[in-house]
Amino acid sequence: MDSSSSLPACLCVLLLTALLPLPAQTNPVSSLQKKFGEARELYRTGQKEEALARALDNQNAALESLDFRNPDTIQGFIELSDMYQRLNRHRDSAEVLQNALRLASEELGEDHPLKALVDYTLGWHYANLADYSRARDHFQKALQVREQHFGRRSAETAEVLNSLAVLHENLGDFSQAEPLFLEALSIQRAVLGDNHAKTATTLNNLGTHYWTIGDNRQADRCFSEALEIRRRVLGRSHLSTATSLNNLGLLYRSMGDFDLARKMFRRVIQTRSEALGPNHPLTLTALNNLALLYMDQKRYVQARPLLEKVVEGRRAVLNADHPDLARALFNLALAEDRMGHFEASGPLAQSSLEMRLKTLGPHHPETAGSYYTLGRLAHRQGRFAEAAGLYNQALQIQMSALGPTHSDTIHTLENLAFLALDQGNRGVALKINDQLWDIRRHQIEKTFSFAPEKQRLSFSRTLNALDLPGTLGDPGRIAATALRTKGVVLDSVLEERRILEGLDDAPARNALQELKAVTRKLSQFEPDSSPHTANGLHPEREDLEEQKQRLEKILAEKTSVERASRSALTLDPESLRKALPPKTALVEFIVFQRSMGRLEFEPALGAVILTRDTPPRWVDLGPLGPVEKEIRQYQRWMRRPVKESALRKLLSALHGKIWAPLAGTIPAGTTRLMIVPDGALNLISFGTLLTPADRLLLEDFQIEYLAAGRDLLRPVSALNTSRALVIFANPSFLVGTKSPAKSSAQNGSLIAPETPLPALPGSLREARLLEKQAPAWGLSPRVLTNTRATEPALASLPPPHILHLATHGLFVPPRPEEEDNSTDPMDRSLLALAGAQNTFNKWNRGVFPDPSSDGVLTAREMASLNLNGTWLVVLSACDTAVGETLIGEGVMGFRRGLTQAGAQNLLMTLWPVKDSETAPLIEAFYSRLVKTNDPARALCEAQREALRKMREKDGFSTAVRTVGPFILSR
């Protein structure tokens, strides 16, 4: 939040000077400003006593004439008071201002604007000391005089209205704050214009108000506009610009966008440290915000020393009951609590509560926060009755002051539900669960109405929507929650695209085209070898990221007008059951945090099974950790030869942990499985699990994969009438130079773009075989190879019936040491086309060619292809189903990109495949595909036949590793 306690007060004086008569022969304001500028520079460089002495000399010079009609005289008092505040000599600061107020009253009268200026400055002085009663009195006096002299609709009056609104905001009087902010903003827009620094100040403070009460959409609008104004008017390095960045960081942190928030907080810390020093209260505020972000990420060891520094700094300069000190103690109490240091957490939380009761009162949301924290502490220590009382005290305040959809209210409700379970009261927990779903649905709709896709993904990770239902183990509630929330971000993007395509709205179409262009430009800064600033972002990339967010927000708001609510959020499991084909079971795996009691949780795995004829069934599969450990081993062993006995043991163990507990819930006669993986389960081919009967699961079931069970109900684009089979194969990766040839290259062994790309002669044989057979299958083939297999050629294609891409697939893993510079996962899944090696070579030299024709197709770029009506995409390459897995949202990679592009069925791979061994399986797949018109069935039949032959010829391990990676997803 912005105040006017120091530099803004000086700006206020300059504004008044322009309106009052000055002696004709001199310009004392500029001279005095220069002198006080020298004092501030002395302070900035650490010469604090010299700075104070200079400020005293300047004030004395200003007082020599005792001409209080000259604004210069008041300026001297205000600047000296400001210097005392910088030195934490608050009593001296107040004494200077009180003297100025007395002299101004005696010399000018109670109704003079300059006396009102001193009242205004004193108001901020007392507000910053949390003496809100005195602050209100001085603001009201300043308002009365300014309204009398300048009118209600004046910039001077608007400034005081903004300050009074801030005061009400600090006191938790939200209903009184908002109309004052809005009135001040309306006046400033009319009088000063939309590009004035003071307009930005009120916008920023209004944004803080909306963020505090949980209206993130309005907060984002206000913060973003204030930031744009301040950058234009004041510059990127100005302290006020840093304040806007800080507040946007707070908003994005609350939405779960930790990467962007962290970059903003670090930028703010750097700016404030350079301008104000590392121990200034504003610098400490930014440190505090960064520490809280670390807390959100469970990085308590990094958070705690920062919070201790903030407490130490606050104690040094603030009175014992100041709200900022209470906040510092409260946050440190949270850190101690999360680390299990209850003996330290309790006294800190209690001190925070007592200070807040004294300064803010019993009904303030921050007081509720202290009740909540003390309740949490009692809950963790098993004092359940005491915890219930404290939680309910917090909840009563939060419901009244913040409303039921605020995140603070939700946290309290969640803890009350888990407390009820600890007390054996399942009925109460079920009731709260249903209440929480209604709240979360509102939150999702509100956030998705303005947030870009990346922030929706971040926000969805904060929902924890399945933790309570999973712990309760109620099949119907788990099925309903999973149906509505899993993959909800991708669903929202597809829903908006359908709406935009149906809109006769030229601005929306233009924004969509601009968004695609900006997205392509962003690819120029991938991978992370591009230069960055010390603050973590390349300047041009930062601008492009902001443009992209702005355009996505515009389009989200365009589509929000066209629909009442997100269709996914109202679906019922019964509608999904009716959509299931006969003899089919849908198995929706769920990763959740299971309560172990007393607010201790463990990652767990479960599954909901749905069929047409049976109600939802829930199977708790136990702790997630052992399963994830074996999946990591599985991924390693599928990429290299291992002993058959070891592989059999692993596949049997995975079957025992993942599938065997479900077998009894699958009705007899089931022949088809629709599997919705979650988390690490996205990285295994369920068909390779080995049953006790020594059969792979794919031998017993036809298996296909969905990103979410709801996908069965998602409307799809009508198939185009084309029967085109477009094939890209064996691209010339190094154009102009002969590529090194290998007869049996493993694409997936490539772990970084700089690795040389070997030619793929096997993919060329695959392409020629398909080209030859296509007419008999009723398909019209078009083959692009060598230098013709380019990115522009792919991008310009009309949607084919089938798109077949036989080339190298790469997934570049994130660099854990580059916390702030890690790329988006959609930019780390790469498909190599003609010229890709040329591009990799240039990247290594720091040169970044046009991403639209560089031969490197990212999953993000793939999403912008036009594949509406394309029935099938075959990615005959390595690791094309691999990517970064997000719990509840699937795989961030080619799967997501192709789905966004409009493709209906995807044939992909989960580990490296040899191009020399792929062709027979692909041919068998296509020959069955044209007969069955069912991609999942065709793949199943082709895999079973190939498995039988290879198992006899090459052995079990080779057969599984060759046939197993192919999966069919839709």
Side-chain angles (χ1 to χ4, degrees):
M1 184 171 293
D2 284 350
S3 71
S4 299
S5 59
S6 54
L7 290 178
C10 303
L11 294 174
C12 177
V13 171
L14 289 174
L15 177 63
L16 284 171
T17 301
L19 301 171
L20 296 170
L22 294 175
Q25 69 275 18
T26 62
N27 187 357
V29 174
S30 60
S31 173
L32 187 68
Q33 282 291 89
K34 181 178 179 181
K35 291 178 180 178
F36 276 112
E38 293 170 354
R40 287 195 297 271
E41 180 61 21
L42 286 170
Y43 179 87
R44 191 187 70 80
T45 57
Q47 303 174 69
K48 297 181 179 180
E49 293 303 321
E50 293 86 343
L52 178 59
R54 183 69 59 87
L56 282 166
D57 289 343
N58 293 344
Q59 186 212 30
N60 292 335
L63 285 172
E64 284 180 0
S65 65
L66 290 177
D67 181 7
F68 275 85
R69 295 189 179 276
N70 185 340
D72 230 21
T73 306
I74 300 297
Q75 176 75 0
F77 281 99
I78 291 175
E79 287 280 6
L80 180 59
S81 168
D82 174 65
M83 188 59 66
Y84 277 129
Q85 284 202 47
R86 289 171 182 262
L87 295 170
N88 301 318
R89 292 170 59 174
H90 302 297
R91 182 173 298 180
D92 291 332
S93 176
E95 185 177 339
V96 169
L97 290 175
Q98 290 291 355
N99 286 335
L101 187 67
R102 177 179 55 80
L103 291 170
S105 298
E106 293 173 355
E107 298 290 333
L108 304 174
E110 292 292 331
D111 298 328
H112 196 280
L114 287 176
K115 190 266 182 183
L117 171 60
V118 182
D119 268 315
Y120 177 78
T121 308
L122 265 168
W124 273 114
H125 172 85
Y126 287 121
N128 288 333
L129 294 177
D131 191 342
Y132 297 129
S133 178
R134 285 188 183 181
R136 183 190 292 108
D137 289 343
H138 285 289
F139 283 147
Q140 291 287 4
K141 290 175 182 177
L143 177 64
Q144 181 180 355
V145 174
R146 287 189 175 183
E147 189 172 357
Q148 176 185 337
H149 277 263
F150 303 111
R152 184 77 174 186
R153 300 284 297 177
S154 67
E156 296 80 11
T157 301
E159 188 175 47
V160 188
L161 291 173
N162 169 69
S163 303
L164 279 167
V166 170
L167 190 66
H168 286 298
E169 178 77 15
N170 288 337
L171 287 167
D173 299 332
F174 304 125
S175 61
Q176 296 186 59
E178 184 173 359
L180 291 171
F181 279 134
L182 291 172
E183 183 181 3
L185 184 61
S186 171
I187 295 169
Q188 288 167 332
R189 286 192 189 278
V191 176
L192 302 175
D194 290 335
N195 291 314
H196 197 280
K198 288 186 180 294
T199 306
T201 293
T202 302
L203 269 169
N204 178 78
N205 293 345
L206 179 60
T208 302
H209 165 77
Y210 286 131
W211 174 73
T212 301
I213 64 174
D215 191 340
N216 290 344
R217 178 177 182 173
Q218 293 287 8
D220 185 73
R221 284 179 174 176
C222 293
F223 287 152
S224 297
E225 186 179 353
L227 179 62
E228 288 178 17
I229 295 170
R230 284 170 162 172
R231 281 179 172 169
R232 284 196 302 268
V233 177
L234 303 173
R236 287 180 176 268
S237 300
H238 196 277
L239 285 169
S240 293
T241 307
T243 296
S244 286
L245 271 179
N246 177 76
N247 291 350
L248 269 172
L250 288 171
L251 172 65
Y252 295 153
R253 176 200 153 222
S254 68
M255 293 171 62
D257 192 347
F258 301 140
D259 289 339
L260 186 53
R262 182 175 55 247
K263 291 170 185 175
M264 289 181 166
F265 290 150
R266 288 184 170 173
R267 179 80 56 84
V268 174
I269 290 168
Q270 180 177 340
T271 300
R272 289 178 173 175
S273 293
E274 291 175 354
L276 303 170
N279 297 314
H280 189 277
L282 289 176
T283 309
L284 293 177
T285 295
L287 279 175
N288 174 80
N289 294 338
L290 179 61
L292 292 179
L293 185 146
Y294 287 147
M295 292 270 289
D296 293 335
Q297 297 178 306
K298 297 182 171 56
R299 296 161 61 179
Y300 307 127
V301 173
Q302 289 172 273
R304 186 182 176 191
L306 296 181
L307 293 172
E308 288 174 334
K309 181 177 180 179
V310 173
V311 169
E312 182 182 353
R314 296 286 193 234
R315 277 185 169 144
V317 301
L318 299 175
N319 62 52
D321 296 319
H322 197 284
D324 283 348
L325 178 56
R327 291 184 193 108
L329 293 173
F330 173 78
N331 293 333
L332 184 56
L334 286 179
E336 300 288 8
D337 171 83
R338 297 302 192 275
M339 297 176 78
H341 302 161
F342 304 140
E343 70 287 349
S345 176
L348 289 168
Q350 186 63 44
S351 295
S352 171
L353 173 62
E354 292 168 1
M355 294 163 66
R356 286 171 166 175
L357 284 170
K358 182 175 180 180
T359 307
L360 302 175
H363 307 298
H364 196 280
E366 292 188 28
T367 305
S370 290
Y371 282 131
Y372 166 83
T373 300
L374 285 165
R376 176 185 165 85
L377 180 63
H379 189 172
R380 294 192 68 181
Q381 293 180 312
R383 305 193 311 272
F384 294 152
E386 181 183 347
L390 289 163
Y391 282 154
N392 281 304
Q393 278 183 284
L395 185 64
Q396 184 177 0
I397 299 169
Q398 290 162 344
M399 283 287 192
S400 175
L402 302 173
T405 62
H406 195 279
S407 58
D408 289 357
T409 309
I410 292 171
H411 292 154
T412 305
L413 279 170
E414 283 179 325
N415 280 17
L416 276 167
F418 288 119
L419 178 64
L421 282 177
D422 289 344
Q423 293 175 305
N425 199 334
R426 179 180 169 84
V428 171
L430 287 169
K431 183 177 179 181
I432 294 176
N433 177 80
D434 296 341
Q435 185 181 356
L436 282 169
W437 167 248
D438 290 336
I439 294 171
R440 285 196 172 100
R441 182 177 64 187
H442 173 85
Q443 275 194 319
I444 293 170
E445 289 185 343
K446 193 85 171 178
T447 301
F448 286 15
S449 70
F450 76 93
E453 182 183 1
K454 183 181 177 183
Q455 288 186 344
R456 295 182 200 182
L457 287 166
S458 300
F459 172 73
S460 69
R461 290 196 291 267
T462 71
L463 287 174
N464 305 316
L466 283 158
D467 293 352
L468 181 56
T471 299
L472 286 164
D474 183 277
R477 287 177 170 86
I478 296 171
T481 306
L483 174 64
R484 294 163 182 167
T485 60
K486 284 188 70 176
V488 70
V489 175
L490 177 58
D491 189 275
S492 72
V493 172
L494 297 175
E495 182 180 39
E496 287 170 6
R497 178 169 292 189
R498 289 194 298 270
I499 292 173
L500 287 170
E501 289 170 351
L503 285 179
D504 185 16
D505 188 326
R509 288 196 300 272
N510 292 339
L512 186 59
Q513 291 305 312
E514 188 180 350
L515 175 61
K516 290 180 179 179
V518 169
T519 300
R520 284 195 298 272
K521 288 180 181 177
L522 270 170
S523 299
Q524 193 167 356
F525 295 96
E526 306 302 343
D528 277 332
S529 53
S530 57
H532 293 77
T533 66
N535 293 304
L537 280 179
H538 185 287
E540 185 180 351
R541 178 179 170 180
E542 183 178 9
D543 290 340
L544 287 170
E545 290 281 9
E546 289 179 1
Q547 286 182 49
K548 182 173 181 289
Q549 284 205 4
R550 177 180 58 81
L551 291 165
E552 287 183 326
K553 289 173 185 176
I554 290 171
L555 293 171
E557 294 191 0
K558 280 276 186 185
T559 58
S560 69
V561 176
E562 301 296 323
R563 51 175 168 69
S565 65
R566 299 280 171 186
S567 57
L569 302 179
T570 57
L571 291 176
D572 188 277
E574 197 63 28
S575 59
L576 180 59
R577 285 178 53 201
K578 292 177 181 177
L580 286 169
K583 299 183 179 180
T584 299
L586 185 141
V587 183
E588 182 123 28
F589 287 93
I590 292 166
V591 173
F592 67 103
Q593 296 290 323
R594 184 203 288 117
S595 173
M596 307 300 292
R598 297 190 181 187
L599 298 182
E600 294 291 337
F601 297 86
E602 70 168 358
L605 180 66
V608 173
I609 297 91
L610 292 175
T611 67
R612 292 182 69 172
D613 304 319
T614 58
R617 302 180 186 182
W618 166 249
V619 178
D620 190 322
L621 295 169
L624 179 64
V627 176
E628 286 186 324
K629 182 180 179 181
E630 292 188 345
I631 290 175
R632 288 192 293 271
Q633 178 115 311
Y634 174 95
Q635 272 285 310
R636 289 193 299 269
W637 283 8
M638 287 301 181
R639 294 168 183 272
R640 59 183 177 85
V642 296
K643 290 182 179 179
E644 180 176 319
S645 59
L647 184 60
R648 283 179 175 275
K649 183 177 180 181
L650 176 63
L651 298 180
S652 297
L654 277 170
H655 179 275
K657 287 184 172 66
I658 297 173
W659 192 256
L662 308 179
T665 65
I666 305 296
T670 299
T671 60
R672 186 177 183 183
L673 298 177
M674 293 183 170
I675 293 179
V676 186
D678 201 2
L681 271 69
N682 282 284
L683 301 179
I684 64 171
S685 173
F686 280 77
T688 63
L689 301 186
L690 189 62
T691 72
D694 197 37
R695 292 173 60 84
L696 298 184
L697 210 59
L698 66 83
E699 297 179 272
D700 294 332
F701 298 101
Q702 173 186 313
I703 301 173
E704 59 187 297
Y705 298 83
L706 304 174
R710 187 179 56 255
D711 290 350
L712 282 176
L713 305 174
R714 186 177 68 216
V716 295
S717 303
L719 291 174
N720 58 53
T721 57
S722 164
R723 293 292 293 172
L725 166 60
V726 178
I727 303 167
F728 282 66
N730 195 34
S732 299
F733 301 121
L734 192 61
V735 177
T737 304
K738 187 176 180 180
S739 299
K742 289 188 178 181
S743 61
S744 184
Q746 286 196 356
N747 321 355
S749 62
L750 301 171
I751 60 172
E754 60 267 21
T755 306
L757 296 170
L760 296 170
S763 73
L764 182 60
R765 291 193 296 271
E766 180 178 304
R768 295 308 177 199
L769 184 62
L770 294 177
E771 181 182 30
K772 180 180 178 181
Q773 296 289 343
W777 298 334
L779 298 172
S780 302
R782 180 187 175 192
V783 179
L784 293 94
T785 63
N786 301 324
T787 58
R788 296 176 61 226
T790 66
E791 188 175 353
L794 178 59
S796 62
L797 280 178
H801 185 63
I802 299 175
L803 176 63
H804 186 103
L805 301 170
T807 182
H808 283 297
L810 305 92
F811 176 68
V812 182
R815 302 171 183 174
E817 72 277 7
E818 293 185 346
E819 176 188 66
D820 287 337
N821 298 337
S822 58
T823 57
D824 188 295
M826 293 293 283
D827 292 315
R828 287 191 268 108
S829 291
L830 312 176
L831 204 68
L833 297 172
Q837 188 62 58
N838 299 70
T839 294
F840 293 159
N841 294 342
K842 290 176 180 177
W843 281 359
N844 291 335
R845 298 196 306 269
V847 178
F848 301 91
D850 182 354
S852 65
S853 57
D854 62 4
V856 180
L857 187 70
T858 67
R860 185 197 297 277
E861 290 175 307
M862 194 172 275
S864 65
L865 297 176
N866 179 13
L867 297 178
N868 286 328
T870 294
W871 181 52
L872 173 67
V873 175
V874 176
L875 291 183
S876 182
C878 299
D879 288 320
T880 52
V882 176
E884 184 172 315
T885 60
L886 297 182
I887 292 173
E889 198 60 36
V891 179
M892 303 301 292
F894 292 136
R895 288 197 225 184
R896 192 179 191 87
L898 287 167
T899 301
Q900 287 183 249
Q904 296 181 13
N905 296 281
L906 313 173
L907 179 60
M908 315 182 83
T909 59
L910 278 165
W911 56 81
V913 295
K914 294 183 179 180
D915 63 324
S916 61
E917 297 174 350
T918 299
L921 180 64
I922 293 297
E923 182 188 9
F925 165 71
Y926 274 102
S927 65
R928 287 165 172 78
L929 179 67
V930 295
K931 295 176 184 177
T932 64
N933 208 39
D934 183 340
R937 179 180 171 187
L939 177 62
C940 178
E941 292 177 356
Q943 284 178 311
R944 286 174 179 173
E945 179 64 20
L947 181 69
R948 183 185 62 78
K949 291 179 179 179
M950 293 191 71
R951 201 169 182 176
E952 293 176 356
K953 178 185 176 184
D954 302 310
F956 176 84
S957 296
T958 300
V960 170
R961 290 203 316 276
T962 303
V963 174
F966 292 92
I967 64 170
L968 199 289
S969 179
R970 63 167 171 165

